[in-house]
Amino acid sequence: MIRVALPPVIDDNALRGLDPKAPVVALSGQTMGTVWRVRAVWPQGLDSADLRGAIAARLDDLVRQMSHWQADSELCLFNNLQGGEWASLSPDFAHVMAASLDLAQASGGAFSPAMGRLVDRWGFGPPGPVAAPPGDGEIAALRPCCDVSRLAWDSAAGRLRQPGGVSLDLSGIAKGYGVDALTAMLRAMGVRHGLVEVGGELSGWGVQSDGQPWWVDLENPAGVAPLRIALHGLAVATSGTYVRGGHNLDPATGRPAQSGVLACSVIHTEAMIADGWASAMSVMGPNRGRELADRLGLSVRWVMEDGSEVLSATLVDMIAN
């Protein structure tokens, strides 16, 4: 039996003027080491080739700003600054950085944008796989370089200070922001109904031509009861160990998280926030994270290594009986 999660708010204007015969066009391409996909109810006068070019250009600009893998990105240039130097960030980078720092605080440190040195040492970054994992002494030596509290953030000016030796890694939140950026661009171009995906993080608005919402099935690595979400003004992001292994490092230990989580999905109005919280809640697991999720009103599903499932109270409320 498939369970269905419905949005708490329905847009009364979603069906107004909807043409049931309007084509739903699908576009896709490569970005951020993964795939982007767009499905949209096509408005008259919009050229698909122009749209594809605009999507590629927008995503290329985000990579130029925030890629951990592109040596000349703004992020990598920041990582190479001397201690005490300030960097003025581009608007997208500044927005994601501000959200990352807020999330680091709200999650009690379960999410951190400053884990680059340890991410690389564990073999999850641009240097690639390592011959052997770091030992206790090396982890202890690198952890001060991953201390997010050493970063100084000037929110008014969009400037970030390199304290020396800190390496940013925004891979736990940047794909979600890419989804939000494409959603905003498409809506500004007159696309009233669409679904955007970047590497498994999704956002949907409006409805399909037949009036149905954009249905998305959550990934289900342990075979628990399927859960289908109506992405109507909502986004969803999933993190976990079932694809890439234990790549989510726990900032508290400097090691892969030992939370017993196979997959953690978060539903939110912003894909960036869903992405960041999926990373944090995967590290925390339900034993640490469920009370926080309930207090903050976050919709979270954990699928555990033992085949069990845990849902936050807000997600339970979304599931239709």
Side-chain angles (χ1 to χ4, degrees):
M1 177 179 177
I2 297 177
R3 297 165 298 168
V4 174
L6 301 176
V9 177
I10 305 297
D11 180 5
D12 293 336
N13 295 317
L15 297 176
R16 189 169 299 167
L18 181 67
D19 180 2
K21 296 181 180 180
V24 175
V25 175
L27 301 173
S28 64
Q30 301 287 323
T31 189
M32 301 182 189
T34 186
V35 177
W36 65 261
R37 296 182 178 90
V38 169
R39 295 181 63 206
V41 178
W42 214 245
Q44 291 185 354
L46 187 60
D47 183 85
S48 61
D50 290 344
L51 181 57
R52 183 187 295 275
I55 291 171
R58 186 73 175 102
L59 290 170
D60 286 348
D61 188 48
L62 296 182
V63 169
R64 179 194 63 77
Q65 293 180 52
M66 291 177 278
S67 174
H68 187 198
W69 297 75
Q70 186 168 304
D72 61 350
S73 71
E74 283 190 38
L75 182 145
C76 288
L77 294 177
F78 173 85
N79 290 346
N80 291 326
L81 291 178
Q82 297 297 310
E85 291 189 86
W86 287 83
S88 295
L89 308 186
S90 294
D92 295 303
F93 191 178
H95 182 67
V96 175
M97 197 68 222
S100 297
L101 294 172
D102 287 346
L103 184 56
Q105 182 174 15
S107 67
F111 177 89
S112 173
M115 294 293 290
R117 295 284 295 277
L118 277 167
V119 167
D120 288 350
R121 182 58 189 88
W122 277 96
F124 303 131
V130 295
D136 291 346
E138 191 173 1
I139 291 173
L142 286 174
R143 283 189 63 197
C145 299
C146 300
D147 183 356
V148 69
S149 69
R150 296 179 59 216
L151 295 168
W153 171 238
D154 180 352
S155 60
R159 298 192 310 154
L160 189 66
R161 180 181 178 273
Q162 168 64 268
V166 171
S167 181
L168 299 178
D169 178 6
L170 298 177
S171 57
I173 197 170
K175 284 191 299 180
Y177 181 71
V179 171
D180 290 334
L182 291 189
T183 297
M185 184 186 75
L186 290 170
R187 298 189 75 162
M189 295 175 71
V191 178
R192 295 180 54 227
H193 311 275
L195 179 71
V196 170
E197 176 192 1
V198 177
E201 327 301 11
L202 301 104
S203 179
W205 69 101
V207 293
Q208 302 182 61
S209 297
D210 60 3
Q212 288 286 316
W214 301 99
W215 294 108
V216 171
D217 290 347
L218 289 188
E219 296 178 69
N220 199 15
V224 298
L227 181 55
R228 181 167 294 168
I229 303 170
L231 287 189
H232 175 78
L234 292 175
V236 63
T238 300
S239 183
T241 63
Y242 63 100
V243 175
R244 294 176 54 201
H247 69 284
N248 279 330
L249 300 184
D250 185 345
T253 66
R255 296 178 176 276
Q258 299 296 311
S259 59
V261 174
L262 268 181
C264 178
S265 299
V266 176
I267 304 166
H268 197 276
T269 55
E270 293 182 67
M272 174 181 68
I273 303 302
D275 195 9
W277 273 117
S279 299
M281 288 292 174
S282 182
V283 168
M284 297 174 78
N287 289 339
R288 292 170 53 198
R290 187 175 183 182
E291 187 277 334
L292 178 60
D294 290 345
R295 178 156 46 87
L296 297 178
L298 294 172
S299 298
V300 186
R301 183 191 77 156
W302 293 270
V303 177
M304 309 303 292
E305 292 172 352
D306 63 7
S308 63
E309 177 192 65
V310 181
L311 305 179
S312 70
T314 305
L315 182 53
V316 170
D317 290 342
M318 290 178 62
I319 297 175
N321 295 318

